[in-house]
Amino acid sequence: MIKEQQEGIETGMNSNPRTSFFGGTAYLGMPENREFKKLVFEGIERYGINHGASRNNNVTLDIFSIAEAQAATRCGAEASILLSSGYLAAQMVIQHYLSTHKLVYAPDTHPALWIGKPNPPKCTFSQWVDHAISIANKSETPILLISNSLNNLYPEIYNFDWLKRITPGKKVVLLVDDSHGIGITGPEGEGIYPFIPDLPNIEVIVIASMAKAIGVDAGVVLGKKSIIRDLRNSPVYAGSSPPSPGLLYAYVHAEKIYSSQLSMLRENLKFFLELISKKSGIRFEENFPVILLKESADADDLMKKGIIISAFPYPDAQGVNLKRIVINSSHTWDELKNLAAILNEENF
């Protein structure tokens, strides 16, 4: 059962048949998908619950290399590494470049990408782009640009064509966190990797948590074979434990499930957006299943009407209390019609 902690009150997604949960990050509804759970159980029976050996151990399981090949293919990359979490994936890459590159953070980068307290700039993404290009073109030190693929809090999907404005002679590494895009953005859910310009002077690395849309407790690193090979020599990689092999078995065999769930998500989102009135203060991207409500919206009033949303400050516990609706593949059209009717009321 998925649970949301809100102001000290624990509420269950299915505890009240009249209550609908519109929060979390399980965009494809994988935690409750029966076919996927069946594959997880099959994987556990075959490979066990976990594999606690070092990644560089001379004895390992074939499912790790199989799943890494699948991840690279599905996301349009040459190669990939799978680790136990998105946080570990981010830290492995950051630490690999820390001593040789100047780190330049975009606004709203996730704390998993931080080393210490980098204090990302408080500006728009487009403003940061101009700043990043200027630094890259002027710097005599190698640059590591660090960015999200999108902003899931204030829904906005980023475009990376601006990389073409960096002087061709300048060598730059771009690290993109696609945790909220992998599985749901791109025509087939491949995420951002294939849509970042392939330029000879730009080394592109994409990392992501697979615990959101994909429904697997793991992190992935996507890139060219050469950088993936270098990262496998990292002490972070050698000292880490792998993801659960049973979950990776499910991932490998769930391609049709992911495709079906993505189609359902897109149908749900299109259906819902056609129902809601475009009021001032509501913000959304048509191809991303998060809707930011206006500040005056009352999450407690929605809860009384049987609607539980995400309403908490993040990532700064002292920050703005963001009130967001998250649509997923599991929502029924009756739930979506009910939610739309409530939001179309004057006080929302």
Side-chain angles (χ1 to χ4, degrees), residues 36-284:
F36 186 71
K37 287 195 288 186
K38 182 180 178 182
L39 289 174
V40 171
F41 297 145
E42 288 178 9
I44 290 173
E45 284 295 321
R46 181 165 182 169
Y47 290 103
I49 295 174
N50 79 318
H51 184 70
S54 167
R55 299 306 307 274
N56 288 336
N57 196 296
N58 63 307
V59 178
T60 189
L61 300 176
D62 63 347
I63 193 62
F64 299 130
S65 60
I66 293 171
E68 286 174 340
Q70 282 278 326
T73 298
R74 293 182 193 181
C75 297
E78 285 187 8
S80 81
I81 290 178
L82 294 175
L83 298 106
S84 57
S85 70
Y87 174 83
L88 188 60
Q91 286 296 304
M92 182 176 70
V93 177
I94 292 289
Q95 293 183 38
H96 180 76
Y97 288 102
L98 182 61
S99 63
T100 58
H101 286 63
K102 178 179 180 179
L103 276 54
V104 180
Y105 283 90
D108 300 310
T109 50
H110 193 278
L113 294 156
W114 296 359
I115 291 287
K117 296 182 179 180
N119 192 28
K122 304 294 184 183
C123 62
T124 66
F125 185 77
S126 60
Q127 289 171 334
W128 174 79
V129 164
D130 291 336
H131 173 68
I133 292 171
S134 177
I135 290 178
N137 286 340
K138 294 177 181 179
S139 178
E140 299 300 321
T141 303
I143 299 295
L144 174 64
L145 300 176
I146 305 165
S147 174
N148 298 332
S149 64
L150 54 83
N151 189 330
N152 68 300
L153 302 178
Y154 300 88
E156 180 183 6
I157 297 175
Y158 301 145
N159 184 294
F160 289 89
D161 285 348
W162 54 269
L163 292 168
K164 299 173 185 176
R165 293 163 53 195
I166 295 176
T167 303
K170 293 291 184 178
K171 295 289 186 181
V172 172
V173 179
L174 173 69
L175 173 59
V176 178
D177 181 352
D178 197 28
S179 295
H180 291 274
I182 189 171
I184 62 171
T185 63
E188 306 297 330
E190 58 268 62
I192 191 66
Y193 189 92
F195 305 101
I196 299 174
D198 184 9
L199 303 170
N201 61 316
I202 310 291
E203 179 79 66
V204 175
I205 303 170
V206 171
I207 63 99
S209 166
M210 298 173 71
K212 298 173 174 52
I214 303 299
V216 172
D217 289 329
V220 64
V221 183
L222 302 163
K224 296 286 181 65
K225 290 180 180 178
S226 56
I227 182 58
I228 295 300
R229 183 173 58 249
D230 288 345
L231 290 171
R232 288 195 192 279
N233 293 321
S234 161
V236 176
Y237 176 79
S240 68
S241 295
S244 164
L247 286 174
L248 294 185
Y249 173 90
Y251 168 73
V252 166
H253 292 86
E255 189 167 8
K256 290 183 179 179
I257 300 174
Y258 288 125
S259 179
S260 174
Q261 293 297 104
L262 179 58
S263 295
M264 291 171 63
L265 172 64
R266 289 175 173 170
E267 289 175 6
N268 278 353
L269 184 58
K270 182 176 184 293
F271 177 76
F272 178 72
L273 292 180
E274 288 174 350
L275 291 176
I276 61 172
S277 58
K278 307 303 187 289
K279 293 183 178 180
S280 174
I282 294 181
R283 179 170 175 168
F284 59 88

Side-chain angles (χ1 to χ4, degrees), residues 277 279 294 302 305 338-348:
S277 58
K279 293 183 178 180
K294 55 188 180 181
L302 284 172
K305 296 175 181 288
N338 180 51
L339 173 62
I342 292 172
L343 291 183
N344 287 337
E345 295 176 4
E346 188 62 34
N347 59 324
F348 287 107

Side-chain angles (χ1 to χ4, degrees), residues 300-329:
D300 289 335
D301 280 352
L302 284 172
M303 186 180 294
K304 292 174 184 176
K305 296 175 181 288
I307 302 295
I308 301 173
I309 66 170
S310 289
F312 59 95
Y314 182 85
D316 180 3
Q318 308 305 317
V320 178
N321 188 17
L322 299 174
K323 299 152 190 176
R324 297 177 303 135
I325 290 165
V326 181
I327 307 296
N328 67 48
S329 304

